[in-house]
Amino acid sequence: MRNPGYASSSIMGTDITSDFVKVDESLQGLLTDSGSYTEATTEETNVGDTITGINEAEPLIFSDTETGVLDNSDPTYQGSYSDVYRLDGLGNNEAIILHLEGFGFSHSLELINGGTGEIISQYDAIESEGTSFNEVMFSTENDIEYLVRITSIENQITGEYTLATTSGELTETLIFSDTETGVLDNSDPTYQGRPQDEYILRGFGDQETVILNLDSAVFSGSLQLVNRETGEVIHQSQVTESDENAPVQLAFTSSSDLEYLVRVISLEETAMGSYTLGATSGQLTPGVSDQTIQGSITEDDEVYRFWGGRYSDRYDITNLSDFQTINIELTSSDYNTMLFLVNADTGRYIVPNRGSYNSEDGTYSSNITYKARADVNYAIVVSSFSRLQVGDYTLDVKTNFSVNAGFDQNDDDFHPIIRNRLMDNYLLSDVQVGEDVEINLNSGSSNNLVQLINKDTGDVLQSSNQPNLKFTVEDNIN
């Protein structure tokens, strides 16, 4: 939370109006060009003397000032709440002073290279008599994006602060531990009739404040945080009609007892396009269910640690039941494919498959068929057979459940309403509220009927003499 304003101050936040200044303690945070600080311990200092090249008789003039609060709505960094600001509008080799004043807590000020995440410098200020001060001087470089991070020194301490800069403009922003770019399109599974992508979120501690950020310039989106084990939607956030192009943010406090799934959805059935999803803590892994994915292996991708020297993409499988069959096919015309079905928790592969070459269409393809177990989380790793190869691929994953059966007058029941019709009944389980389900009936006979029934009441919810039936799972219905 912040309120822009304008203020002026001298070094260390003390206005100097007399000819001499009594220095009772060291002036910490006055930096030399090398990034260290100078301690002044003399009894009297002439106002005309220059400390770090600044005349103390003249107060600092700030180009921008932000007031904010560290509280439990902020993301957690190393156990402490944090606010981050982007510093824009700077010239090259410009001397900048950042002034931070905290009220009621001891704070830390970090200057960060936004492109690399490297901490350029870090300075702590200890609270004394209700306030704490910190001033940092540095010289700018053209090729660096500067970020400023404010945290409390003690974990999960809250308090108000004022941050000011002598040049440039401060804008509150977020630092993401992981980001993923994706596309909602017709190949995606749907949720309540709208395209969806799913991500597994892991790799953070207990009771951390995590912020998810969804940004798209082409569609209005919604974020859902889901309990992966039960399918329950824990939190949901979406853009407002008045600000359709604004990012969607969702904040939550993590629990070590839960596995989290993040669902990206468009608000309109026909709205599709690219987006970026970021998390301030943890790692995001794309999820895959019953769908086809067009992807690329690039030099920016991670190297699979059990297949050294090969770039890879990973997808966690999100919708498996016990004994369900997984069918996976990987094809590429750019390189010989290597496909792995892996344990999602350990990363070790369960089944590998090297690609075979098809001379008719000039593609390599790898195939895996596997029957899942309920006590294992599964993931797919896409890679190349040879080292350091890059290029496009198509990943086709089928996790649908099928039953082969037939009608028999000796053991099948007759339909209770439609006379002289035999029937088979199946209980549909392991589906989530809001999930779109399609039932397909393949039969040699054209005289078939498919009905969706509420098991508890016997009510017919849908009825079709066509070979398929589609519906959205509702709450409290078996």
Side-chain angles (χ1 to χ4, degrees):
M1 290 176 286
R2 54 184 174 79
N3 296 307
Y6 181 86
S8 65
S9 171
S10 66
I11 298 283
M12 300 302 294
T14 304
D15 291 325
I16 301 173
T17 56
S18 61
D19 292 337
F20 295 93
V21 177
K22 183 74 172 181
V23 181
D24 294 323
E25 55 186 26
S26 63
L27 300 178
Q28 298 182 6
L30 302 182
L31 303 184
T32 65
D33 289 338
S34 65
S36 61
Y37 64 83
T38 301
E39 293 189 354
T41 56
T42 57
E43 288 297 318
E44 294 181 344
T45 302
N46 192 299
V47 177
D49 290 345
T50 301
I51 300 178
T52 65
I54 297 177
N55 191 320
E56 291 194 36
E58 299 179 3
L60 295 177
I61 303 299
F62 296 126
S63 62
D64 193 15
T65 300
E66 301 288 337
T67 60
V69 178
L70 291 181
D71 57 27
N72 58 9
S73 67
D74 293 318
T76 306
Y77 174 72
Q78 295 182 349
S80 297
Y81 301 126
S82 69
D83 279 346
V84 177
Y85 293 86
R86 188 176 66 248
L87 187 54
D88 298 316
L90 305 177
N92 187 37
N93 200 29
E94 187 176 355
I96 308 293
I97 296 177
L98 297 172
H99 175 89
L100 175 63
E101 183 175 359
F103 306 99
F105 69 102
S106 300
H107 56 71
S108 178
L109 181 64
E110 291 179 342
L111 185 65
I112 300 169
N113 184 326
T116 65
E118 175 192 2
I119 298 175
I120 301 171
S121 55
Q122 177 181 357
Y123 302 93
D124 294 341
I126 306 301
E127 183 266 337
S128 176
E129 297 182 356
T131 59
S132 53
F133 298 93
N134 214 334
E135 284 190 338
V136 173
M137 175 184 284
F138 67 100
S139 295
T140 61
E141 298 180 30
N142 263 343
D143 57 348
I144 295 182
E145 173 193 1
Y146 291 100
L147 300 176
V148 182
R149 177 160 51 205
I150 302 166
T151 59
S152 59
I153 292 178
E154 298 182 24
N155 287 358
Q156 297 186 344
I157 297 299
T158 63
E160 299 179 355
Y161 64 84
T162 299
L163 174 66
T165 178
T166 56
S167 182
E169 182 179 356
L170 294 161
T171 305
E172 192 169 12
T173 187
L174 293 171
I175 294 180
F176 299 116
S177 63
D178 194 16
T179 58
E180 293 286 339
T181 57
V183 178
L184 291 181
D185 56 32
N186 286 323
S187 69
D188 291 324
T190 59
Y191 179 84
Q192 296 181 344
R194 297 166 292 165
Q196 66 156 9
D197 280 346
E198 293 181 333
Y199 294 85
I200 309 302
L201 180 61
R202 57 167 69 88
F204 42 75
D206 191 33
Q207 298 301 301
E208 281 194 46
T209 301
V210 183
I211 296 179
L212 301 171
N213 187 88
L214 173 64
D215 197 1
S216 175
V218 292
F219 67 86
S220 299
S222 174
L223 275 177
Q224 288 184 344
L225 183 68
V226 180
N227 183 325
R228 186 183 179 189
E229 183 177 356
T230 66
E232 174 192 2
V233 177
I234 303 170
H235 297 292
Q236 180 168 343
S237 180
Q238 64 187 47
V239 296
T240 60
E241 294 182 359
S242 59
D243 200 1
E244 294 181 354
N245 293 324
V248 181
Q249 291 189 353
L250 187 156
F252 68 99
T253 301
S254 64
S255 170
S256 58
D257 296 329
L258 297 180
E259 292 187 6
Y260 292 102
L261 183 145
V262 180
R263 185 177 290 143
V264 177
I265 316 169
S266 63
L267 290 183
E268 300 177 3
E269 293 184 11
T270 58
M272 304 177 192
S274 60
Y275 63 85
T276 300
L277 176 66
T280 58
S281 184
Q283 293 83 44
L284 293 159
T285 303
V288 61
S289 54
D290 199 51
Q291 64 190 108
T292 300
I293 294 175
Q294 305 293 334
S296 298
I297 293 178
T298 70
E299 294 179 352
D300 295 328
D301 288 328
E302 293 184 0
V303 173
Y304 180 42
R305 61 192 177 101
F306 295 110
W307 188 239
R310 282 83 166 174
Y311 303 119
S312 66
D313 284 343
R314 170 172 160 155
Y315 301 89
D316 280 29
I317 306 176
T318 59
N319 66 337
L320 291 178
S321 304
D322 201 13
F323 303 118
Q324 189 169 349
T325 300
I326 312 168
N327 292 288
I328 312 167
E329 182 179 20
L330 170 66
T331 59
S332 176
S333 58
D334 293 336
Y335 48 80
N336 191 354
T337 55
M338 193 69 191
L339 179 65
F340 299 90
L341 180 67
V342 308
N343 184 312
D345 298 320
T346 66
R348 293 187 176 275
Y349 63 81
I350 300 170
V351 181
N353 185 258
R354 177 184 175 180
S356 58
Y357 184 68
N358 186 334
S359 59
E360 294 184 1
D361 58 11
T363 62
Y364 292 91
S365 63
S366 298
N367 295 270
I368 291 176
T369 299
Y370 190 80
K371 186 165 289 188
R373 288 168 35 191
D375 59 343
V376 178
N377 292 321
Y378 294 93
I380 298 167
V381 172
V382 173
S383 189
S384 61
F385 179 76
S386 301
R387 293 167 58 90
L388 305 179
Q389 289 189 313
V390 297
D392 297 333
Y393 63 82
T394 299
L395 178 65
D396 189 44
V397 182
K398 295 188 182 302
T399 58
N400 53 352
F401 193 88
S402 62
V403 175
N404 294 316
F407 296 120
D408 189 333
Q409 292 185 8
N410 295 321
D411 59 12
D412 284 335
D413 295 329
F414 284 95
H415 194 283
I417 298 177
I418 307 174
R419 297 180 60 186
N420 300 323
R421 289 245 188 155
L422 295 171
M423 68 176 186
D424 282 336
N425 295 323
Y426 295 92
L427 179 65
L428 183 61
S429 59
D430 293 320
V431 290
Q432 300 175 4
V433 174
E435 184 179 357
D436 293 329
V437 178
E438 181 174 354
I439 298 174
N440 293 286
L441 175 64
N442 298 310
S443 172
S445 170
S446 60
N447 188 21
N448 295 304
L449 180 70
V450 181
Q451 291 183 315
L452 183 67
I453 298 172
N454 184 324
K455 178 179 179 294
D456 299 324
T457 66
D459 294 338
V460 176
L461 306 176
Q462 285 191 43
S463 186
S464 174
N465 56 10
Q466 300 300 313
N468 59 65
L469 183 152
K470 296 180 181 180
F471 68 98
T472 299
V473 178
E474 297 181 24
D475 197 13
N476 298 320
I477 295 181
N478 291 321

